[in-house]
């Protein structure tokens, strides 16, 4: 199959709608990452998404909508908190897990009776949904396990020959996938994102529980509250190690480990202090810039042939929690904490089988 890339615009939107109505899969831009979209009501179309990505069938998809009417058609028992959050954060990078009416195709929910749903903040994606009248199931448009795509060229690298059309709307401004919040039972953060737990708490006026897998691997034998937590994710081909500590410690630690095809994944301005080549993913202390640059940097390091990556860890507060969560998974949970002189204090690496 030939994969075409069209600039976002009226012509591209019309073509995307034709293909989606015919049960095809189309890559669409969103504010978080590019999505691999199909008609959420059409089981055959949704199965094509799983096939194109090589995604395990037990990992459910997020359904994308353009109106609250669409939400009411697809979800039931919608709590007040969902309405409050939708009012503040939609369109935007927040996915709500609600009770499903069972109207979406069975594969969307992968056997669950809940539905992950969000309204994306991208005019092209919204226009496609509005004009087609179709809710769109869309996971990130990468091959399963690879870093999520924040540019059309990333989608093409993974999906060339697998889907007919990619709509190119430039770089995704947020850069990490949406926050996933379950509102079935106690409000629980299943995946951190650009909308933070603190911001959610402020709107709903109560504490949000954080699923254990947000900051660590899922415990063996425990059911996954969000099936996506089970899988290795966002990973470059290189072996990555997440390094916690200041710049001087990082420089000392990596100096001893510099070798061919060993790279640093670091903050702007760090390169001058390092004895190994560095790829920047954002500015120190600026989590939004780190989120926007992370996946693109991981893909760039793959293209450079990196075999090992030492990555400077972001601060874990606010949006930084989302960045940390993605980096920990990209590193297969390998991480090391340095003291001021650059000596490892504790290493939580191979113990997780990474
Ligand atoms: O920003 C995003 O969310 C992007 C763009 C394209 O919208 N999409 C995305 O989809 O990241 P995906 O499939 O890569 O990740 C969806 C995550 C998975 O971890 C999945 O397990 C979880 O959401 N999820 C979806 N439906 C769920 C449900 N009913 N219950 C619990 N978790 C759910
Ligand atoms: Mg994904």
């Amino acid at each position: 199959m030939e994969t075409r890339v069209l600039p976002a615009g009226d012509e591209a939107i019309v073509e995307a709608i034709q293909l989606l109505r015919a049960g095809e899969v189309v890559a669409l831009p969103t504010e978080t990452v590019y999505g691999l979209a199909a008609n959420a009501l059409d089981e055959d179309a949704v199965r094509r998404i799983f096939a194109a990505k090589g995604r395990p069938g037990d990992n459910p998809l997020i359904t994308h909508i353009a109106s609250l009417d669409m939400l009411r058609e697809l979800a039931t028992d919608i709590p007040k908190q969902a309405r409050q959050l939708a009012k503040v954060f939609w369109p935007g990078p927040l996915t709500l897990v609600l009770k499903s009416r069972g109207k979406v195709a069975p594969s969307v929910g992968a056997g669950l009776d809940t539905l992950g749903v969000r309204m994306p903040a991208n005019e092209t994606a919204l226009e496609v949904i509005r004009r087609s009248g179709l809710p769109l199931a869309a996971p990130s448009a990468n091959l399963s396990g690879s870093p999520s795509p924040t540019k059309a060229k990333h989608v093409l690298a993974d999906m060339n020959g697998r889907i007919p059309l990619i709509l190119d709307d430039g770089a995704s401004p947020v850069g990490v996938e949406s926050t996933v919040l379950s509102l079935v039972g106690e409000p629980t953060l299943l995946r951190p994102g650009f909308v933070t737990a603190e911001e959610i708490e402020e709107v709903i006026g109560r504490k949000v529980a954080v699923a254990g897998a947000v900051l660590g691997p899922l415990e063996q034998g425990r059911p996954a509250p969000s099936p996506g937590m089970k899988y290795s994710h966002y990973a470059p081909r290189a072996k990555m190690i997440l390094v916690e500590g200041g710049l001087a410690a990082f420089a000392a630690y990596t100096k001893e480990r510099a070798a061919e095809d060993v790279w640093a994944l670091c903050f702007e301005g760090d390169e001058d202090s390092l004895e190994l080549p560095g790829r920047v993913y954002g500015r120190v202390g600026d989590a939004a810039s780190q989120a926007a640059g992370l996946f693109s940097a991981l893909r760039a390091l793959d293209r450079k042939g990196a075999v090992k990556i030492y990555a400077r860890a972001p601060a874990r507060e606010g949006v930084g929690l989302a960045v940390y969560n993605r980096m920990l998974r990209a590193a297969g949970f390998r991480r090391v904490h340095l003291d001021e002189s650059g000596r490892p204090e504790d290493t939580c690496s191979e113990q997780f089988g990474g």
Side-chain angles (χ1 to χ4, degrees), residues 176 192 214-216 234 240 242-244 281 287 290-291 294 311-331 333-337 348:
V176 291
V214 165
L215 278 176
Y234 321 116
M240 179 160 137
L242 193 55
V243 183
E244 306 201 45
Y281 74 100
Q290 297 158 12
L294 177 65
R312 281 201 72 191
R316 290 186 218 179
E317 307 106 47
V319 177
L321 184 65
V323 181
Y324 189 91
N325 167 278
R326 304 310 189 276
M327 291 181 81
L328 196 57
R329 279 165 174 72
F333 299 100
R334 285 178 292 264
R335 69 187 137 161
V336 54
H337 193 104
C348 327

Side-chain angles (χ1 to χ4, degrees), residues 32 35 55 59-60 62 64 114 116 118 139-140 177-178 191 225-228:
T32 56
R55 184 180 176 100
N59 194 4
I62 294 170
H64 296 69
T114 54
R118 82 178 191 101
S140 49
E177 308 83 347
S178 60
R191 179 174 73 182
S226 184

Side-chain angles (χ1 to χ4, degrees), residues 268-290:
E268 218 173 278
D270 286 357
E271 308 101 298
D272 297 344
S273 313
L274 303 178
E275 306 263 327
L276 69 177
R279 178 67 167 77
V280 168
Y281 74 100
R283 288 179 294 278
V284 68
D286 178 356
S289 73
Q290 297 158 12

Side-chain angles (χ1 to χ4, degrees), residues 38-254:
N39 177 1
L41 307 174
D42 177 344
E43 175 68 9
D44 289 337
V46 173
R47 286 195 186 176
R48 287 202 175 106
I49 298 177
F50 283 85
K53 266 184 82 88
R55 184 180 176 100
D58 63 348
N59 194 4
L61 307 180
I62 294 170
T63 298
H64 296 69
I65 58 171
S67 69
L68 294 180
D69 284 340
M70 248 180 189
L71 177 69
R72 284 184 284 268
E73 276 171 34
L74 301 176
T76 180
D77 300 345
I78 300 171
K80 180 174 158 214
Q81 294 152 343
R83 290 192 295 274
Q84 292 171 318
L85 291 166
K87 197 166 170 201
V88 175
F89 295 113
W90 282 359
L94 175 65
T95 294
L96 299 176
V97 174
L98 301 167
K99 200 160 180 319
S100 175
R101 282 191 191 276
K103 294 207 170 145
V104 295
S107 289
V108 175
L112 301 173
D113 59 3
T114 54
L115 178 78
V117 60
R118 82 178 191 101
M119 196 184 290
N122 176 284
E123 253 329 294
T124 300
L126 285 173
E127 239 346 80
V128 171
I129 301 168
R130 276 190 215 114
R131 284 205 227 163
S132 67
L134 300 174
L136 298 179
S140 49
N142 50 288
L143 286 173
S144 196
S146 301
S148 294
T150 54
K151 293 177 183 166
K153 70 169 185 186
H154 302 158
V155 181
L156 188 64
D158 280 17
M159 291 296 149
N160 197 8
R162 293 172 175 259
I163 59 172
L165 181 62
I166 300 168
L167 265 51
D168 183 353
D169 193 23
S172 297
V174 170
V176 291
E177 308 83 347
S178 60
T179 305
V180 179
L181 180 77
S182 173
L183 290 176
V184 180
E186 297 289 287
T188 305
L189 185 75
L190 301 181
R191 179 174 73 182
F194 199 76
V195 175
T196 66
E198 297 76 32
E199 289 174 318
I200 292 168
E201 285 167 351
E202 205 161 295
V203 172
I204 64 175
R206 59 166 294 180
K207 270 306 240 191
V208 167
V210 176
V214 165
L215 278 176
L218 192 68
E219 279 172 55
Q220 288 278 309
R222 290 219 15 220
S226 184
M229 289 174 176
K230 283 194 301 191
Y231 302 103
S232 136
H233 257 124
Y234 321 116
R237 281 190 292 275
K239 179 172 173 177
M240 179 160 137
I241 296 117
L242 193 55
V243 183
E244 306 201 45
L247 175 59
F250 183 82
Y253 179 78
T254 51

